[in-house]
Amino acid sequence: MSVEPADLPIVDVDVPATWPRPLADLVGELADDARRAGHAAEHYQDLDISSHEGTVLAYLEGHLVRARHHTRLLDHEKDAIRAQGLRLLNAQLVNDRLDQAHSLGYLTGVEHERLRSVNETVPEHRGKGKREDQVCLTLSTAPLAHDVGGIRRLLTYWGGEAVYWQHCEGSPALADKLRSLGTPSVVTALLDLTTPGQEEHSVFKSVVHVFAGKALGHEPADADVFYRSPIPPHRIESIVSPGDPAYDRFPGLPRG
């Protein structure tokens, strides 16, 4: 029988009270060492503490870690995430989204064909960054409060980087269309960073660095998660958009 999130404690990097005691003690010691060495809190990513990553992940066993996926969604896509969870990015997902948007009248035939033939999952149009076979999230709400520029395009253009990356600058008309579709959305998910196969998932800079940054009192501390397993619907905590208090409490986010 699968274990539901309610049966597991939830860890939020922004809320130290949720941190397991051994983890809190460890990162507290690392933060104290950094202060004694004269390291500025904002330089938390430069700390030589990567050797503690395995220990931190061990302390997170049996816990779920809260993370956020920033995107732009049509109403039926929100319903699909609530029913099916977050799927790994691949050509099938991209084509499903484009086909549904076309069938529901959001995309014209020409727009649909162009987006299907030119996107980051089409081999001849792939960029340098790896985007497939993962779900991208952040561990902290820091981007929402302190680094909106880093997520603004995700919230402004429909389809995610795999779709808009090829068009938001070089195709003005299509870029305008992608900006008109859906609403900015923050999907909060609960992640198991330790099983199955913690090596499958990638966190940058690292889990220990973001916890140490928070322990140093640096509120903008954050880490990107490249999660390489689908996230099931029972681990989707919420989906919020403009008009929802959990979204509107960050005044710098796109409104439409």
Side-chain angles (χ1 to χ4, degrees), residues 67-123:
R68 291 87 184 168
H69 176 68
H70 311 99
T71 187
R72 192 174 181 93
L73 298 170
L74 295 161
D75 287 343
H76 70 274
E77 294 175 319
K78 295 180 183 180
D79 292 338
I81 291 172
R82 294 185 183 103
Q84 303 169 18
L86 283 167
R87 297 163 56 187
L88 298 179
L89 175 64
N90 55 32
Q92 184 64 57
L93 173 60
V94 168
N95 289 335
D96 284 350
R97 293 187 71 183
L98 295 174
D99 292 351
Q100 290 166 5
H102 178 233
S103 68
L104 292 171
Y106 294 108
L107 295 173
T108 67
V110 172
E111 292 165 342
H112 173 248
E113 177 60 29
R114 176 64 175 167
L115 292 171
R116 275 197 63 133
S117 60
V118 182
N119 67 70
E120 292 281 311
T121 69
V122 178

Side-chain angles (χ1 to χ4, degrees), residues 4-6 8 10-11 64-67 137 188-193 227 231-232 234-237:
E4 295 300 308
L8 294 175
I10 297 171
V11 176
L64 297 175
V65 180
R66 185 172 281 128
L137 311 100
T188 300
L190 303 175
L191 308 182
D192 182 348
L193 293 179
Y227 202 72
I231 301 171
H234 64 271
R235 289 188 176 167
I236 302 300
E237 193 173 50

